[in-house]
Every structure is written in structure tokens, then in C-alpha cells.
Amino acid sequence: MAMYDAKLTNLCKHINPEVESNPLGITSIILSAAEKLSGSLLPLEDHLSLKRQSPHPPDVLQSVENCESTLLESFEIQAIRIPSSVNETIETLVLNLSSASYYLDVIAEALGVTEASRVQVSRTIGKASSEIRLYFCPKQQLLDQSLEPLEVHRVQLQGSLNVRASYFAGQEVYGDAILASVGYVWKSANLFHEDLSMRTYYRLLINKIPSGVYKLSREAIFVAELPMAFTTRSNWRGFFPREILYTFCRQHRLAEPVFCIRNSSLGTSTDPHGTCKKLKVTEPIEEGKKSPVLAAAGGGESDGLTGDFQCEVKIFSKCQDLILQFLSTKAYKKQTDAVQNAALKVLLWLNLFFSESNISSEKLSSNAKELGIQFYSEYFLKEFNICSLVHDFWMSFATVEDGLLDHKHMKANDDMLENGVFSLNMGGQASGVNPSSGSLVCIGYTSCLVTEGGMKEHLESNEEFEFEMGIGAVVPYIEGILTQLSVGQSACFGAELPPLEFILAAADDSPTTISLLSSGKCSLEHTITLLRVTEPLEDRMEQALFSPPLSKQRVEYALQHIQESHALSMIDFGCGSGSLLDSLLDYPTSLEKIVGVDISQKSLARAAKMLHSKLNSKLDYKVSSNRIKSAVLYDGSITNFDSRLCGFDIGTCLEVIEHMEEQEASLFGDVVLSSFCPRILIISTPNYEYNVILQKSAPQNQEEDPDEKNQSQAYKFRNHDHKFEWTRAQFCDWATDLSRRHNYSVEFSGVGGAGDVEPGFASQIAVFRRKEENPKSVEMAHHCKVIWEWSEGDRSKSAL
Ligand code: SAH
Ligand code: MG
């Protein structure tokens, strides 16, 4: 039996995809194949079954007899019954197996038939190594032998289509089905068996959709969807997008996805296909190994691949019909980034189809267009037609269970905060270390299901859970709360329920959970503690290599100019969380008015919080040495004109321009020197030539992408958000041209390292000085939004 089980599994790996989904089609193909096997197998006429023609050889019989002398054991395994009617609930059942009988007979009995030969067996479900299969028996098994195998596949079987089981199996399943993990594995005479729980069932179910695969790889209930972007390998947690796409295609019986890399810097090739390399990657890349993706770019030519890589993805059905294709419009410096981001885009779109039931084809198309995906709806719908039936079932399941739909509308009451969070309680000493976009945070958490009546069921906890902030790796409410916490602090709060399947995939005890869920209004209760924040790589490098840290040196450089110039007013373009504004309150300056402008509302909120508490604090604080009369924070882009940003004594723009596209940076240069016209303007930006030193000696570098090491000459940018990093010559050209056109003088300098030693300063700085005494008058125009405003009177008010 063991041998035949395994052999049959092997045979079934090569079934013609045309008939794959139809059990009758498969059977007829196997029967006709068996006829050609010169008499060793004999098709039986009344059943769709095969029989050995000759008896077993004596040595085989002998070995079986020997086996009988060993102890007969019997055991129970838990399996799952999936009724064909979606109105009946899925339940666990117990199979009594023993080494004296054939397990298929036991399953046959549970399905209500007398013989194992009437049971049809699906392929394995889930992971490649799994033994989980579906067992079912279509009521009518008469087959017209005269039909050609390919004609047979539309013959309607009796019994109703089991939608849920068909969805799992990737083939049509009729009548009730049993899901069990049992069978003889390759080269083993022992029966492998394992219990299946409802939790396993729900995990298999959500594993069919992209966000479910990602979620399971992270094992966290608040990882609701896929992240929006892939930044770096070192910050990504969970399965990589490319792996998820492979899993998805396997789960849905599609051909393996095809990735294709274009390198536009090699684009001069005359061969039309020369710049596009098809990557023959059959196994998902294992962590740590040299990526085959990189290997495809070819060893020798990798020198100087500062690269502009674009990745194309194609998805084909098993019959090789093109279902969809995607070509990224964006170019990436690294091949891995191009591949992972392309896979992610495709997954995001596929996920839309699975997470929104009854999504209209217009919406699918418009979303595809937005993402740059082209899909062929005829083939797409052919492959995924059963999935839409399951969507309906998901909805109906929710209505069958009393009150389950209600929870969506619950808690629309007064204590509801932003993002569906309520009853927020925060505790612990503030440490001043806050997470922000791009940082890697580590939290510990516990999540429970709570009913309105106060019943509570533990769902999940995790001592250390890491993720990158700002890319949508977790549901928005978690990020929203974390930005309010500093390391060491905790928060306890309620939140709305995620989709039912996600809860059941997490719950150990499904019956209790389901009964809680049906007992009335439920919600989640999370307790999270912020354990660690790892700053973006750029910050870590700057802190590790420079003392004082480079960011501090930039601030001190600006402060020195502020003091020397006796400026009364100062504006910080791209102030971020206000580190410069913060520090200058600690020193005596002549400043009376300070302004910050940025486009990041999160950063501005943090800046406001900090400035507010510093400016309002008691007079004995060292703040007393400053003469600040007013402070304003604006939300708006510094490339747009706003008359309120004009006429300052000094303007600063530290490490901002490289976060914009080069054209935007030039636009800012023109606007600031022609319209805002500060008397002095200080602009800093990384010196690309210095990266060689940063990246050779940064201790944290090891944990970065191992593939990187192979791209010998190309130094990566210091921060994934940088759109460019300039050499000294590039910066000098840019700034000199600007100063000439707008009647300013310019001087170059920097911080970190030395100006007269190669490769120059770590951060390069240009100081512009206006030559004209009085700038021209400007027209009133407001586009910035005032985020926060303070004037001296406020301090006396708060002192009272
Ligand atoms: N100057 C700060 C922050 C540097 S990070 C410091 O030295 O600490 C770069 C900042 O530029 C970010 O806060 C980002 O939101 C901001 N930024 C990028 N493009 C911008 C634009 N067009 N207008 C205003 N701010 C911008
Ligand atoms: Mg920067």
C-alpha cells in the first residue's frame, strides 16, 4: 500500500492541465494510461479503479506476514468534515485507524460508502511537504469508456459542487468531503498521521490569499494586509514578496511566476532581448544564500552596476495562458529591490480580488491600471472563478452565525478614537526615544478577544515582534499608537475585529471563540509595550562613526552661523521632527521668530509637541536665555511659493534636498533664492564620495543585504528614501549655477571628516549670501497650513 500510494502521487504530478480540475477526466486518463501498461494493472469495469493483475511475489507476501507478528496498534486521528452545502458548518470528526486495516476504508466509511476504491483523493494541500488531502466520493461513478479523455471533462457529476472543498483542492469536488492528514510517505512503510484542528483549517483557508500568506509568515493578528512598499531586505520581516507570489501560484495551481530584469544602464545593447534576462529561478531564494536573481546579472559585468533595474513579472496558467503581466515604471538601484517591489505590486492587486468580495470588474481594472498591471480577464476569471464562489460563502458564513456581521458596526460610540481605537490607556516613563518612519521597532504584545459582557479569550501573544514603521506593515492603528509611545512605555486599547477568518486562524480553541463571537458584540484588546527602536541605517552610521554624531555637527554648524549673523528670524526648510529648532532653544541667540516647514505630518506633530513643552516651560529652565517671541510650524512643500516664508534673516535646509527628485530640488533652489530670499541660506546634503568610508566601517553594515557585497563599486545611498546623493562636483555645479542666477554668493564647507582630505566632508554644505540689500516685494499667497503656532503671550498664560 505504501508503495502504491507514493507511486500514484508521483504519477499524478504529470496530469494534463486541461483535465486537472475534473475528477472524471483525471480518472479516465489514468485508466487509459493503465491499459498501456502491458497487463500489470487491470482496469475494473464497474468501478473507476485499477487492480493488480498478477498476485504479489512471494517475498512481498512473506514480509507482510512478518509484519503481522508485530503488535497491532489502533489510534484515533482528528479530521475535518466539509459538508457540500455551505449552509452546514464545518466540524471536526474522529477517525479510528488501526494498523490492521487500510486507512482509506475507514475514511470511506466516514463518507458513507463501503469501499475504499470509491473514494477519490485530492493532491496534497498546503505546503509541498504536507500530507493533508481531501477525500470525497462523487455519487455517480459510471464512466462512458468510449469518451475520449479530453471530452469527458465536461460530464456533469451527480451531487452538488462542494465549493469550499473545491477551493482547497483546486479541482472540482462533489458531495461531502473529509480533510485529513494521513498517508504513506515516500519510502516509509509506516502510516504517517496527524490531527487537524479547526485552526489548521482556517490557516489553510487564509493561506490561499496573498495577505493571508504574509500574515501567517508573521503570526500576528494585527498584520492585516501587505505592506505598501519594500524598502530594504534588512528591514523586511516575514516572507519576501517574491516567495509569497511563488506560494500563491502554487496554491492556485498556476505555473511559476516569471521574473525578468532590465538594466537600463546596459540598454545600449543591439540585441532586443539583450537587456532583458529571464531568470530561471525554480526554488524560492533562501535567506543568506547568494540570490539567483543577482547571479543572472552575470558575475563579471556587475562592476559599476550602479544600476537602474526594472523588473517585469508574468503569471501564466498551467496551460501557459498569460494571465497577467507587470512592468515597474520605477527603476531601482538594486536588482533585489526591483524584483521584490514588482512581486509586491502584483500581490497587492491580487489581494484586492480576494479581500473584497463582489469586487466589480471596473474596479479591478482601474486598480490594475493604477499599479501598472495588465491582466487578461478571460483567463484570469477562468482560473479564479471558484474563488468568487468562496467569497460568497465567506459572506454567508458570517450571516449564518448570529451577530457576526454586527461587529463591523459596533462601538461607533463616543470613546472611539482615530483609526477605530478606543479606551486607550498609556503608561510608563517617557524615555524620549520615539519610533518614526523608516525605523525598525520591536514590540511585545498580547491580544485578546473580549465580549461586551466582559468575557475574555486569549488569542495571541508575542514577546518580541519587529517591523518597519511607515510602510504599512501593520494595521494603521498600531502605528498610530506607537508614534505616541517612547521606548519602555505601554498602551492598552480596544480595536475593531479583523475579518473572522483571521481570528479563527489565530485562536487555539475555535469552538469557544466562535461561541464568544456569536454571543454578541466583540472587540479586540491589545496590550503593547515598545521595547526597542532601531533607527534607519543612515542615522546608525552617522552616530557610530562621528563624535559628536553627524546630525549634531550639522546643527552646531547652523547655530554658529545664526549666532554670527545676529539674525532675528530663522526658517528651517524641511524641519522634520524639529531637531534643529529644538537645539537652538538651548543656546542664547538673537532670534525672535522661528519657523519650520515640512510635508510630513507625523514629524511635524512631534516637533510641535517638543517645541510646545520647551517654550511653555518655567523660566528657570535654560530656555530663559532665548528671546523667542513667536514660533510657527507649517505643513506644506518647500517647492511651492508661500509669502509667509519670505524675508527671513537666515534659512536652513539640512539633509532635505536629497529626499526630493532632482528636478524638485532644483525647483526649490530657484524658489528659495528668487522668492523667499533669506539673507543667508545654508543647505546640506550627503557627499556621495564619502559613502565608501561609511559603508566600509559601519559596524551595522553586516546585517544589511549580503548580496550587496558583490556589487563592488556601487555604493548604496545612505537612506532608502534618498532620491539622489551627489558628489562634491555635482553639488558644486548645482549651487554655483543657482547663486549666479539669483545674485547670491556661495561658499562650500561641510561637517564630518575634513574638506582638504579625500574624499571630503561626510555632509557637504553650501552657504549662500544675498548680494542685494533689499529683496523685491512679494505678492500674498498662502498654500501652507499652520500646524501649530506659539507666541510669547502663551507662555505667561500657561504660567498662570
Ligand atoms: N532637516 C531635518 C530633517 C531631514 S529629513 C534634520 O536635519 O533632521 C528630510 C525631511 O525633508 C523630511 O522630514 C521630509 O518630510 C522633508 N521633505 C522632503 N521633501 C519635502 C518638501 N518637498 N517640502 C517640505 N519638506 C520636505
Ligand atoms: Mg537624508
Side-chain angles (χ1 to χ4, degrees), residues 253-255 315-323 379 382-383:
R253 303 219 164 284
L254 304 172
I315 294 185
F316 295 93
S317 71
K318 270 260 153 60
C319 301
Q320 293 303 314
D321 298 317
L322 181 59
I323 297 174
Y379 294 121
K382 189 172 145 203
E383 291 301 322

Side-chain angles (χ1 to χ4, degrees), residues 702-713:
Q702 282 98 331
E703 76 187 55
E704 255 292 278
D705 192 346
D707 301 337
E708 214 89 304
K709 296 278 182 299
N710 304 313
Q711 294 186 2
S712 48
Q713 294 313 307

Side-chain angles (χ1 to χ4, degrees), residues 554 572-577 579 597-600 603 636-639 653-656 659-660 664:
R554 278 190 293 263
D572 191 14
F573 297 107
C575 61
S577 356
S579 58
V597 195
D598 205 289
I599 39 166
S600 159
S603 304
S637 174
I638 54 174
T639 55
C653 182
L654 305 184
E655 307 291 293
V656 175
H659 292 262
M660 312 186 222
E664 279 184 280

Side-chain angles (χ1 to χ4, degrees), residues 272-283:
H273 305 292
T275 52
C276 186
K277 295 193 179 67
K278 187 166 162 178
L279 305 170
K280 294 215 178 72
V281 186
T282 44
E283 292 298 314

Side-chain angles (χ1 to χ4, degrees), residues 538 554 654-656 658-659 686 718-719 721-722 725:
E538 180 183 24
R554 278 190 293 263
L654 305 184
E655 307 291 293
V656 175
E658 73 277 5
H659 292 262
R718 299 181 192 180
N719 181 320
D721 192 44
H722 287 178
E725 284 181 6

